[in-house]
Amino acid sequence: MVTPRRQPVSTVAFIDNYCQHYYSLFEEVRHFEAFKFLHLGILSEIKRKTLPEIAKTAGLKDSQKLHHFLRDALWDVKKLREIRLWLIKTLIGEREIILCIDETGDKKKGKATDYVTSQYIGNLGKTENGIVSVNAYGIVDGITYPLMFQIFKPKNRLKEGDKYKSKPQIAVEIIQELKAWGFKIKLVLADSLYGESGDVVRCLEKLELEFIVAIRSNHGVLMPPGSRKRYNRWKAYEQKLSHRQTETRYLREIIFGKRRRTRYYQISKINTPEPTGDESWYIMTNLSTDLSVNVAQLYSLRNWIEYGFKQVKNELGWADFRLTDYQSIERWWEIIFSAYLLVSIQATYFQLSEQSNLTSTSFVLSSNDSHISQHSQNSQWESGTTWKSTLNNLRLIIQPYIFYCLIQPWLIVFNIPGMKSGFLKLIDFMNDFRASPVSFPLAS
């Protein structure tokens, strides 16, 4: 007689409901519980998302269960990624995405960790001992969704069976895979590493994708004999900045010989009518629409995403792993992307609720409006619909559960009448916020 699986330990409803979509990946209930505990800890306010700190947050005696889950447990990280991408596809439906390709790196001491070496760390702007990955994000209606990442494997750290791939080659693979998934890509944004890569540009042109990519100031363009390069006049425009006043910027077109489908622009980084090369962005685009100022506004999204992911990395603990083998690191990063998506889903719901236009969406929403109203009475509740404000609000919701986990041992020791039942009632109230406010059919 087959013994039925026991029910997994509950955490907070919106985490439990979201994680349920991945339930079939785990043969053992304890592994599914570790998966949920990691989401809880990653979303929490603890500054360093180390496994011992996450274990405390989840009320575990030690972090061994979490460490085993990341390093030794039998589950397929690729299938986890597939379910996460399927959820994104289900959520955004037929809407087009703006795809941003970027790399991120972090300092790491020594060389015990796979693929760590002295290399250029883009977000630090210098060479450091560290680890680097190429990442892809999608933007829909002002909300970012984590799509894919791949580790960059330096030549001097390749293992047996590894094949060296440059960052642009990795970017090409990611773009092709996202197209194979059926994502409708409206525009691709990337920095000069990819803008100067013939492989990347040829891939975008072959897939008939529109792009805005950065190029170097000395970017070379083939011109017919007798042609010359000329600069149009500077045009002022108002740059919209998140949570700040708009600022004046300047843009001009650079024409190599005759104007072609692919165009080139110089954009000022500061409010200076005639900026120097260091004070400018140089970009290349094949946008078919009327460009002028639009190209600058669209390219600024790349900087916004880059800044936003730095914030996400710090908030969710992208670099806080104390793991040395890449299989475990990949699992950690994929769970970070999963927690990232959980927040993006809730941000989408808050955005739709604020617009009060729920009937026009292509998916079914649960009836959580009254619960949002109850939670919003908290003086620390944020009314914005940004990713960060959503994360802050979700942290308010999980606070009672985390606090209960921390003091539970003391409740047992002192057995204060009524205190335990009071905390449990508070947790039940916070659990009225049911998660994926978006109701997905469960992944098979």
Side-chain angles (χ1 to χ4, degrees), residues 194-398:
Y194 309 99
E196 293 290 345
S197 168
D199 289 341
V200 173
V201 174
R202 282 191 293 272
C203 171
L204 296 174
E205 290 174 340
K206 183 178 180 180
L207 295 174
E208 298 182 344
L209 297 175
E210 294 187 330
F211 59 82
I212 305 176
V213 294
I215 55 176
R216 294 191 295 265
S217 59
N218 62 349
H219 179 82
V221 177
L222 290 175
M223 297 188 297
S227 301
R228 64 185 181 88
K229 180 172 71 173
R230 65 184 188 275
Y231 296 84
N232 284 355
R233 293 180 179 179
W234 288 103
K235 293 182 179 180
Y237 71 96
E238 296 302 310
Q239 177 67 60
K240 297 178 181 179
L241 301 171
S242 179
H243 304 299
R244 286 158 54 188
Q245 292 183 343
T246 58
E247 296 181 4
T248 302
R249 295 288 187 270
Y250 296 87
L251 170 145
R252 67 176 176 181
E253 185 177 1
I254 306 172
I255 302 174
F256 295 86
K258 293 183 179 180
R259 182 180 282 129
R260 311 171 194 177
R261 169 71 189 276
T262 301
R263 299 188 182 184
Y264 306 85
Y265 291 86
Q266 182 181 2
I267 306 171
S268 70
K269 298 179 183 178
I270 58 176
N271 183 5
T272 302
E274 295 186 7
T276 64
D278 292 338
E279 298 169 339
S280 305
W281 303 109
Y282 292 87
I283 63 172
M284 176 175 66
T285 181
N286 66 345
L287 274 174
S288 58
T289 57
D290 179 27
L291 298 176
S292 60
V293 174
N294 291 335
V295 68
Q297 297 283 11
L298 288 170
Y299 184 71
S300 68
L301 287 172
R302 192 192 71 80
N303 301 317
W304 172 70
I305 295 171
E306 185 177 347
Y307 169 78
F309 186 59
K310 286 181 181 178
Q311 187 180 55
V312 170
K313 284 177 60 177
N314 294 334
E315 295 288 351
L316 303 185
W318 176 268
D320 290 346
F321 60 85
R322 295 178 181 175
L323 306 159
T324 57
D325 64 295
Y326 181 60
Q327 178 182 349
S328 301
I329 296 170
E330 183 183 26
R331 287 179 166 191
W332 172 258
W333 282 349
E334 189 56 52
I335 292 172
I336 294 289
F337 262 33
S338 177
Y340 186 155
L341 173 60
L342 191 161
V343 179
S344 297
I345 290 173
Q346 301 291 355
T348 302
Y349 181 58
F350 290 151
Q351 186 183 72
L352 291 170
S353 298
E354 188 165 282
Q355 293 172 350
S356 298
N357 189 24
L358 305 181
T359 57
S360 64
T361 59
S362 59
F363 43 81
V364 181
L365 300 174
S366 65
S367 56
N368 285 336
D369 293 350
S370 60
H371 300 313
I372 290 180
S373 177
Q374 289 174 325
H375 290 301
S376 65
Q377 301 303 313
N378 189 308
S379 61
Q380 293 182 301
W381 186 270
E382 297 184 18
S383 59
T385 58
T386 65
W387 190 94
K388 182 59 169 66
S389 65
T390 301
L391 175 62
N392 292 341
N393 290 339
L394 296 180
R395 284 175 169 173
L396 289 176
I397 294 171
I398 67 177

Side-chain angles (χ1 to χ4, degrees), residues 145-170:
Y145 297 88
L147 297 175
M148 290 184 178
F149 65 83
Q150 275 196 45
I151 188 73
F152 171 66
K153 302 176 181 180
K155 289 182 179 179
N156 64 332
R157 293 304 310 273
L158 293 178
K159 297 182 174 184
E160 185 178 353
D162 283 344
K163 180 181 178 181
Y164 175 75
K165 299 175 187 175
S166 67
K167 294 172 190 174
Q169 288 173 328
I170 293 173

Side-chain angles (χ1 to χ4, degrees), residues 170-185:
I170 293 173
V172 168
E173 288 187 0
I174 289 175
I175 293 167
Q176 291 173 336
E177 189 169 352
L178 290 173
K179 282 292 290 183
W181 263 89
F183 284 96
K184 295 188 175 181
I185 302 173

